[in-house]
Amino acid sequence: MANVGIVLISHSRALAEGAAELARQMGVGEVSVEPAGGTEDGGLGTSIDLLEAAVRKADGGGGVVLIADLGSSVLTAKTYLEDLEEDTEVVLADAPFVEGAVAAASAAAGGADVAGVTTAAGEAYQFRKT
Amino acid sequence: MDVRQWIVRFSELVTADASRLTRLDSDIGDGDHGTNLDRGLRAAVAALDSDLPPGKVLMTAGRTLVSKTGGASGPLYGTALRRAGKAFGDATEVDAAGLGAALRAALEGIKELGKAEEGDKTMVDALTPAVAAYEGAAGEGLAAATRAALDGAEKGAEATVALQARKGRASYLGPRSVGHLDPGAASTVLLFRALADVAGRS
């Protein structure tokens, strides 16, 4: 069974790429973590076309978990899922962006399925910092 | 009524008001509402073929908005127009009852996607009274019903000034969001002004 892929959707291209870089460290080269950040021209915002391309790239046959930052990232992800026609399983995780990405990559590298990776991403809300 | 003209008119009104919408959004949000919606609507107008039936026009406009807008208004207005388009189905004419069902479907689509309710200081606060006013006046025909809807949207939008935002970027401001008109509600007024303009012509 192929590992689950991860797509990070942010308003900022730099933020999505940075979070992907951080998450890949946990994926130990096993997991595809793809950024979908900013608009197509590199401005702040969300692009459903970039999201679609990132999902295709991240999907190795094991499904894809989406992690989004704010507002339009979440709405664009939900709109994308409503339209999804492919047979591959794609799920939007309810998770903090950076911590969720790292937790998801660790779980995916450990061989977790889409449900397992989604749960791991959501559990990142519980890591307190004080 | 020609729904393509509705989108064209909406785009014109947003272009004319883009700087005001962006300024409203700068006060309590991320300051891109006018520019984003203007970009999305210009792309939607360019994508519209005049030979399409009403449902197809709205589906096409909605899909273009989702893909070209860049901000939250893209998926929100995009979903609204696509749901409205779906409600028209294969109908070739727009009548008062059909438009009412489409507006109701648009409202439900936005509420479902954004998980917003009345009182959250969002476009739902303008859309809900607009759709209710339309439904109340639908028996009097398209022109009267769309005028009633515009009036409902304006009153609903004005009422967002006093509200504290519970959704979107403005919610991070907490009590500081009070005293500002919600930019999404302001653009929703333009959507209904465009509708009343176009329905009044026919």
Side-chain angles (χ1 to χ4, degrees), chain B:
Chain B
M1 196 198 92
D2 181 351
V3 293
R4 184 176 169 276
Q5 286 308 316
W6 178 23
I7 306 303
V8 170
R9 185 70 187 133
F10 184 30
S11 178
E12 287 169 0
L13 292 175
V14 167
T15 298
D17 235 1
S19 59
R20 183 182 71 104
L21 293 175
T22 289
R23 196 175 63 244
L24 290 171
D25 194 25
S26 302
D27 290 340
I28 55 169
D30 51 5
D32 59 8
H33 188 53
T35 42
N36 276 338
L37 192 55
D38 190 24
R39 178 175 55 225
L41 282 168
R42 282 172 192 265
V45 167
L48 291 181
D49 190 325
S50 54
D51 297 334
L52 294 173
K56 282 271 187 310
V57 166
L58 296 179
M59 305 270 273
T60 304
R63 198 172 53 239
T64 312
L65 276 185
V66 169
S67 115
K68 299 296 175 201
T69 304
S73 53
L76 288 168
Y77 279 118
T79 295
L81 293 183
R82 292 197 303 179
R83 293 289 177 90
K86 229 177 265 177
F88 275 116
D90 297 331
T92 52
E93 294 291 328
V94 175
D95 60 22
L99 182 59
L103 292 174
R104 173 59 61 182
L107 170 61
E108 296 307 326
I110 282 186
K111 288 174 77 172
E112 195 183 301
L113 180 63
K115 299 263 194 295
E117 292 296 331
E118 269 191 283
D120 287 342
K121 197 181 179 96
T122 71
M123 55 202 290
V124 169
D125 290 308
L127 202 50
T128 305
V131 174
Y134 181 97
E135 288 168 343
E140 299 161 42
L142 267 177
T146 54
R147 268 200 312 277
L150 170 59
D151 192 46
E154 282 174 336
K155 289 200 174 95
E158 199 47 46
T160 65
V161 173
L163 296 171
Q164 178 172 332
R166 291 195 294 247
K167 286 281 163 188
R169 207 70 69 89
S171 63
Y172 291 91
L173 292 178
R176 280 198 294 129
S177 65
V178 176
H180 299 276
L181 177 63
D182 177 66
S187 61
T188 298
V189 170
L190 301 182
L191 177 73
F192 283 96
R193 179 160 300 141
L195 187 60
D197 283 355
V198 172
R201 277 181 217 159
S202 48

Side-chain angles (χ1 to χ4, degrees), chain A residues 38-79:
Chain A
T39 55
E40 279 173 290
D41 56 8
L44 291 174
T46 318
S47 159
I48 200 165
D49 297 337
L50 290 181
L51 168 58
E52 215 163 10
V55 169
R56 268 200 302 272
K57 211 167 158 195
D59 185 24
V64 177
V65 172
L66 311 179
I67 299 175
D69 64 355
L70 308 165
S72 76
S73 299
V74 177
L75 298 178
T76 300
K78 285 184 177 172
T79 306

